[in-house]
Structures are given as structure tokens and as C-alpha cells.
């Protein structure tokens, strides 16, 4: 992996992606990390706050590095038709997908140091035939054939303040989570997490705290059997594989500051079990990281916010944090 700029995909152009990209550039233009946008120049230039910004078309990432302090660089891959803020449309889906594919290709070739993705909306993509649950799974498919040394993901991690959480299941309906859990699935998520803590976060001896599924972590089987039959055997298997994993712990006791100091990442069984504490700690600054991929990928921990798109009030804190974390991970991998 070479030293280079990050590629920032524009996300759904009807959402807040263009606006927060402009705001992130304003924040980082003097200090870096340098990035360029992969997307539609017109959508970027017409974003709130961009009227006095020089949105400059580039043809190579090296141009972005040289000009970043003065211009907002964009690799211009135009939409087929203009998109209106707050009005998502399946017609934009081919361009959104192309932007992601292009950024990933640049990362796989070593031309950029990593990928940061602005938010996409699943519904318009599904209407256009997109078959992946979200960004993370799509990135896993795009990088599946690339060489990678270690346990392969993707596994979703969220970070905020001093908390890191990873998810065993992601966008499963809550009623389907118990059936989706297995010893193998928990062990795999734990192995990928431990590996990423070493490689990407510089943690020499990772400690994992594994959450239970049920209230009180099942009370030894009296409030559900998943802990006894699935989670506990998975924790034992992780320990046998050399991972310092402990649990299962009741999820409602896992996130106070004193407890967070005892582990490097919490392995959670389902979406809200992980994301609620992250957003309580730092609602504006959380970051989504895809673990176990041959490329670096981060994203802001929020959606497209169609309800406020185009109004100039979106905050770029999470995107700025995602850009900075992507650069830190890329530097460690080098």
C-alpha cells in the first residue's frame, strides 16, 4: 500500500453526502489527510456551502495530493441526469454503484491509501436491482478475490470515543437474530476483530468482551438458551484459538466507562446492541470501519438524512472522523 490520498465516494447525491464532503474539505484542507471525491462534479459544486469552493476535476490521485489545500478535487463520473436534494431516485443507482466500484478499484491497485464512503440509501438501490444489504457486503464482494493475509471479513466495527464494537449480525430483523447466530459465526467475527485490532489499531494483545443475546446473558439458561448453547462455546473456541475473549456478559453492564477500560472491543450479537452505546457516547462523531478487507474502508456512522439535505445544516463531524481514521489505519498497514 502506497502513501496517497483517500478516495471519498459521494454517496447518494440526493442526501447530505455532497454537503458534508464540502464541509470536510474545509476542515481538513490545511492539515489533511488529503482526499478527493469520486462522484458527480455538478452535484458537489451545487451543494450548500460550495458556492465559493473551487471544485476541480482531476484525472489522477496525484493531482489531488498536489492541489488539496487550494481546491476540492473530484474524479468526475457524472450522473445521467441531475438529482434534486431530498428526492432520491433509482435513476442515480448506476452512478452511485460506479463510484463505489471505482474507489475500490483504485484502492486495490494501491493508487489510493483507502476508501471513505458517504452514506447511501438502500431503498432506491434495491429498486434498481442492487442485491446487497449495504455498503459493507458490497465491498466484501468487490474485494473477494484480492489477496489478504488473515481472517477475511467483512465484519462491521463502530468506534466512538474510547469504545469499539463489532457486530456478529448486522441488518437482521430482530426476530431472526437468534436463528442467525452460530458458534462459527461468532468465532469468525471474533477472529477478524482481534486481527484488525492488532493490524489496524496497534493493539498488541487484544481483549474482547463478548455480549450475551438475552437479558442478564440468559441467567444460565433460564432466560434463553443461546448463551449456553452458542455464545459460551464460541468464547471457549476463541480462547483456544489464542484470542483473549471473555463472556458472555449482560449487554446492559458492558458499556460504563469503568467496564470499557477492561477490553479493547466488544463483540455484540445484533445491530442496536452495538450502535446504541456508540451513539450515546458520541452521536456526531462515530465511525463505521469494515474489518477483514484487503483495503482500508471507513464511513460516517449515519445515513443520507434526506430530511435535511440541501438546507446547509448537516454536520460533517462523523465524516471528518472517518477520513482521519482511514488515514491512521492506512499508515499502520504501511
Amino acid at each position: 500500500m502506497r502513501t496517497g490520498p483517500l478516495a471519498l465516494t459521494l454517496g447518494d447525491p440526493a442526501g447530505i453526502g455532497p454537503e458534508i464532503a464540502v464541509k470536510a474539505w474545509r476542515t481538513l484542507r490545511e492539515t489533511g489527510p488529503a482526499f478527493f471525491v469520486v462522484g458527480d462534479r455538478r452535484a458537489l459544486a451545487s451543494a450548500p456551502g460550495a458556492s465559493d469552493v473551487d471544485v476541480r476535476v482531476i484525472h489522477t490521485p496525484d493531482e489531488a495530493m498536489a492541489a488539496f489545500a487550494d481546491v476540492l478535487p473530484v474524479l468526475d463520473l457524472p450522473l445521467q441526469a441531475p438529482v434534486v436534494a431530498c428526492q432520491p431516485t433509482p435513476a442515480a443507482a448506476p452512478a452511485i454503484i460506479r463510484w463505489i466500484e471505482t474507489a475500490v478499484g483504485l484502492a486495490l491497485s494501491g493508487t489510493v491509501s483507502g476508501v471513505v464512503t458517504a452514506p447511501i440509501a438502500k431503498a432506491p438501490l434495491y429498486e434498481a436491482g442492487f442485491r446487497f444489504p449495504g455498503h459493507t457486503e458490497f465491498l466484501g464482494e468487490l474485494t473477494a478475490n484480492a489477496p489478504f493475509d488473515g481472517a477475511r471479513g467483512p465484519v462491521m466495527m463502530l468506534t466512538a470515543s474510547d469504545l469499539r464494537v463489532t457486530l456478529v449480525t448486522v441488518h437482521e430483523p430482530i426476530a431472526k437474530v437468534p436463528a442467525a447466530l452460530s458458534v462459527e459465526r461468532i468465532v469468525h467475527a471474533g477472529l477478524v476483530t482481534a486481527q484488525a485490532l492488532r493490524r489496524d489499531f496497534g493493539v498488541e494483545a487484544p481483549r474482547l468482551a463478548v455480549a450475551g443475546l438475552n437479558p442478564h446473558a440468559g441467567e444460565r439458561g433460564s432466560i434463553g438458551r443461546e448463551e449456553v448453547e452458542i455464545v459460551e462455546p464460541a468464547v471457549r473456541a476463541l480462547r483456544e484459538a489464542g484470542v483473549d475473549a471473555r463472556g458472555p456478559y449482560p449487554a446492559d453492564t458492558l458499556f460504563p466507562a469503568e467496564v470499557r477500560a477492561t477490553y479493547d472491543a466488544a463483540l455484540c450479537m445484533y445491530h442496536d446492541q452495538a450502535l446504541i452505546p456508540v451513539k450515546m457516547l458520541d452521536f456526531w462523531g462515530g465511525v463505521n470501519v469494515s474489518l477483514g478487507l484487503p483495503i482500508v474502508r471507513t464511513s460516517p456512522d449515519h445515513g443520507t438524512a434526506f430530511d435535511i439535505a440541501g438546507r446547509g445544516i448537516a454536520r460533517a463531524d462523523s465524516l471528518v472522523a472517518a477520513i482521519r481514521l482511514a488515514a491512521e489505519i492506512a499508515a499502520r498497514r504501511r
Side-chain angles (χ1 to χ4, degrees):
M1 182 178 292
R2 53 161 268 180
T3 301
L6 298 163
L8 168 63
T9 59
L10 193 59
D12 194 310
I16 61 172
E19 178 182 344
I20 60 175
V22 171
K23 290 179 175 178
W25 175 75
R26 288 189 184 278
T27 300
L28 298 170
R29 58 180 295 189
E30 294 183 357
T31 63
F35 66 87
F36 63 92
V37 177
V38 182
D40 183 284
R41 187 199 65 80
R42 293 176 301 172
L44 193 59
S46 61
S51 59
D52 62 342
V53 175
D54 185 354
V55 180
R56 183 80 58 85
V57 174
I58 62 166
H59 301 94
T60 69
D62 288 338
E63 294 177 53
M65 290 290 287
F68 183 73
D70 301 310
V71 306
L72 174 50
V74 55
L75 184 63
D76 189 28
L77 302 176
L79 292 155
Q80 293 184 347
V83 170
V84 179
C86 307
Q87 298 181 26
T89 170
I96 295 170
I97 293 168
R98 184 186 178 199
W99 299 338
I100 299 168
E101 291 172 338
T102 300
V104 170
L106 290 170
L108 287 173
S109 71
T111 308
V112 300
S113 57
V115 175
V116 182
T117 58
I120 58 174
K122 299 175 183 63
L125 292 178
Y126 292 161
E127 290 182 45
F130 189 70
R131 61 183 179 85
F132 299 92
H135 256 132
T136 302
E137 295 83 1
F138 187 35
L139 292 167
E141 175 79 7
L142 292 175
T143 60
N145 295 323
F148 184 65
D149 179 20
R152 183 181 289 269
V155 168
M156 182 184 290
M157 171 183 279
L158 286 304
T159 71
S161 185
D162 63 344
L163 175 63
R164 305 182 190 98
V165 296
T166 52
L167 285 74
V168 177
T169 69
V170 182
H171 293 124
E172 295 284 353
I174 198 71
K176 295 184 178 180
V177 169
L181 293 177
S182 66
V183 173
E184 294 76 16
R185 193 166 182 176
I186 295 171
V187 169
H188 174 255
L191 291 173
V192 172
T193 300
Q195 166 188 274
L197 287 170
R198 295 188 191 95
R199 174 179 295 176
D200 296 338
F201 293 89
V203 180
E204 293 185 6
R207 302 163 298 168
L208 301 187
V210 182
L213 173 68
N214 296 294
H216 301 200
E219 287 276 14
R220 299 186 178 181
S222 63
I223 313 178
R225 298 287 302 170
E226 286 82 5
E227 284 78 12
V228 174
E229 297 174 1
I230 300 173
V231 187
E232 289 178 8
V235 171
R236 288 196 297 270
L238 283 168
R239 293 183 69 83
E240 290 169 1
V243 177
D244 183 0
R246 302 180 186 185
Y249 296 113
D252 64 347
T253 67
L254 201 49
F255 301 108
E258 297 85 354
V259 182
R260 296 198 304 271
T262 67
Y263 60 81
D264 300 297
L267 188 58
C268 296
M269 298 299 110
Y270 60 92
H271 185 276
D272 285 10
Q273 189 181 64
L275 270 71
I276 288 173
V278 166
K279 294 188 177 184
M280 286 292 293
L281 270 178
D282 189 357
F283 183 79
W284 299 109
V287 178
N288 181 341
V289 190
S290 295
L291 307 183
L293 295 181
I295 66 169
V296 175
R297 182 264 177 156
T298 65
S299 75
D301 180 25
H302 59 69
T304 51
F306 292 128
D307 57 326
I308 63 168
R311 295 168 55 190
I313 61 174
R315 291 179 56 160
D317 307 48
S318 186
L319 179 58
V320 170
I323 292 167
R324 287 173 170 156
L325 182 56
E328 291 171 8
I329 293 173
R332 289 193 182 97
R333 288 198 181 188
R334 284 195 294 271

